[in-house]
Amino acid sequence: MSVILVTGGSGLVGEAMKWVIENEKDPRYGKKEGEEWVFLSSKEGDLRKESDVKAIFEKYKPTHVIHLAAMVGGLFKNMKYKLDFLRENMMMNENVLWQSKEFKVQKVVSCLSTCIFPDDTTYPIDETMVHNGPPHSSNFGYAHGKRMIDVYNHAYNDQFGCNFTSVIPTNIFGPHDNYNLEGSHVLPGLTHKCYLAKKNNTPFTVMGTGKPLRQFIYSRDLAKLFIWTLREYNEIDPIILSVGEKDEVSIKDVADSIVKALDFQGEYSFDTTKADGQYKKTASNEKLMKYIPDFEFTPFDVAVKESIDWFVENYETARK
């Protein structure tokens, strides 16, 4: 009997994993016989407190852990609370990984972020570059907190032989996202903005030129790849989970897809007086494709449509 404990189980990726486990027909990703999946929410305990984490491990006795829980936020929040982002993420990671060692968990997969990469780098970024220089100063607290998971994983493996690894997804989107107009990521933020423009019959204005490029991964595709990592990936070094460089899309492509999915007929423009942010952060998925070359990503337009349909249907209860 395997007990897979998912921290941050009620967030964007946790909800997608729940969906895949319940609905996926392909046995490579779907629920297997003899597996019990436990999706933790913050109501079950505070992962920053060692006593809470120990009690959770004693209650569920996990054999495997997928560690998604983190303190996250947008650019402004990251700039303002650098120490909070560093400390709180370090405390969570310290407690989850130590208890995983203490309870002899067979494998842990933790979630990192592309923001951990050095600010001064060459593109495409790959897994070997994680520690090649400081991350961007705007979110160095969060980035170092996440980077340290990789350091921990190697130290636990060296000293205790633990099978702890990590994954680095690119920009995640999907059902159960955070649609807050101020602090959300670009795709859910623009979705909510366009939804309101349609509802109120007002113009839909996108900040910036729309030219920056991003790699987006649908949360349900990412969930499948997380499950694959748990079952089949045997390195301690992290692995980037992303669509390929050829599937990079511009912010204008994102906005166009949203307009199409919501059937928005009103005035639609770009405010080019506003800053664009980083032009690109291209990541290589070459390592992933060597392992699982036949993986099929959901086409971007289809994934956006499914995400927006979910948002419209769940508008009253969605995080916003």
Side-chain angles (χ1 to χ4, degrees):
M1 181 74 177
S2 297
V3 178
I4 300 111
L5 183 72
V6 182
T7 71
S10 59
L12 171 63
V13 183
E15 287 286 356
M17 219 169 278
K18 206 177 289 179
W19 188 91
V20 169
I21 286 301
E22 288 165 6
N23 297 285
E24 180 57 47
K25 301 287 182 277
D26 185 338
R28 194 172 197 181
Y29 312 111
K31 188 176 181 178
K32 291 192 170 174
E33 224 173 286
E35 278 184 349
E36 183 193 340
W37 287 74
V38 177
F39 293 89
L40 279 186
S41 75
S42 51
K43 293 185 192 77
E44 297 238 23
D46 185 341
L47 299 183
R48 295 168 299 184
K49 293 180 180 164
E50 187 179 8
S51 56
D52 283 21
V53 179
K54 192 174 182 185
I56 286 166
F57 274 69
E58 276 170 350
K59 179 181 176 181
Y60 293 111
K61 298 185 172 49
T63 57
H64 299 76
V65 172
I66 292 180
H67 178 37
L68 304 175
M71 178 189 176
V72 295
L75 179 67
F76 177 71
K77 199 172 160 190
N78 263 287
M79 288 168 77
K80 194 173 177 184
Y81 302 108
K82 285 176 182 156
L83 180 66
D84 291 358
F85 275 97
L86 177 63
R87 276 193 81 221
E88 300 205 4
N89 284 305
M90 288 291 289
M91 284 190 277
M92 281 188 244
N93 303 336
E94 159 66 32
N95 291 332
V96 169
L97 293 177
W98 180 256
Q99 294 305 329
S100 294
K101 190 277 288 185
E102 290 288 273
F103 280 81
K104 298 183 169 52
V105 167
Q106 293 167 30
K107 187 165 181 181
V108 179
V109 181
S110 297
C111 192
L112 307 186
S113 158
T114 48
C115 76
I116 68 173
F117 285 103
D119 181 38
D120 183 14
T121 190
T122 53
Y123 294 98
I125 31 193
D126 68 42
E127 295 84 354
T128 64
M129 301 177 180
V130 172
H131 302 287
N132 283 3
H136 194 274
S137 60
S138 66
N139 63 0
F140 86 83
Y142 177 75
H144 278 299
K146 284 290 190 184
R147 251 187 211 195
M148 284 306 292
I149 290 179
D150 179 51
V151 178
Y152 267 136
N153 288 346
H154 281 277
Y156 272 107
N157 181 255
D158 284 356
Q159 195 168 330
F160 297 111
C162 298
N163 188 5
F164 296 176
T165 189
S166 59
V167 301
I168 308 171
T170 45
N171 299 271
I172 314 160
F173 72 99
H176 300 274
D177 212 331
N178 178 359
Y179 294 88
N180 182 289
L181 290 167
E182 296 296 310
S184 67
H185 292 120
V186 62
L187 202 148
L190 289 177
T191 297
H192 193 179
K193 204 172 176 184
C194 187
Y195 175 87
L196 292 175
K198 183 179 178 179
K199 189 177 162 188
N200 302 327
N201 212 11
T202 52
F204 173 44
T205 308
V206 181
M207 302 300 168
T209 64
K211 288 176 184 167
L213 300 170
R214 294 290 180 268
Q215 285 156 299
F216 289 93
I217 183 161
Y218 188 34
S219 58
R220 289 173 182 172
D221 291 345
L222 178 62
K224 287 183 188 176
L225 290 170
F226 249 106
I227 293 161
W228 167 81
T229 305
L230 184 74
R231 291 173 178 165
E232 300 184 39
Y233 178 70
N234 291 318
E235 292 184 40
I236 303 302
D237 284 331
I239 185 165
I240 291 169
L241 302 183
S242 175
V243 297
E245 293 167 63
K246 66 178 192 324
D247 296 310
E248 221 168 18
V249 293
S250 70
I251 301 304
K252 183 181 184 307
D253 294 332
V254 172
D256 287 348
S257 290
I258 292 167
V259 163
K260 184 178 157 194
L262 280 168
D263 193 26
F264 177 73
Q265 306 285 345
E267 190 186 321
Y268 160 43
S269 62
F270 291 81
D271 180 355
T272 56
T273 64
K274 297 288 190 289
D276 266 341
Q278 214 171 335
Y279 175 63
K280 67 175 198 168
K281 310 187 212 182
T282 318
S284 167
N285 75 346
E286 200 176 306
K287 182 173 176 178
L288 176 68
M289 288 296 105
K290 274 183 189 153
Y291 272 109
I292 185 166
D294 54 346
F295 186 80
E296 284 184 27
F297 290 95
T298 307
F300 184 66
D301 275 352
V302 175
V304 169
K305 181 82 173 89
E306 285 181 13
S307 304
I308 288 177
D309 287 350
W310 180 90
F311 175 65
V312 172
E313 280 166 34
N314 296 275
Y315 184 75
E316 293 311 317
T317 53
R319 284 187 291 166
K320 56 186 189 300

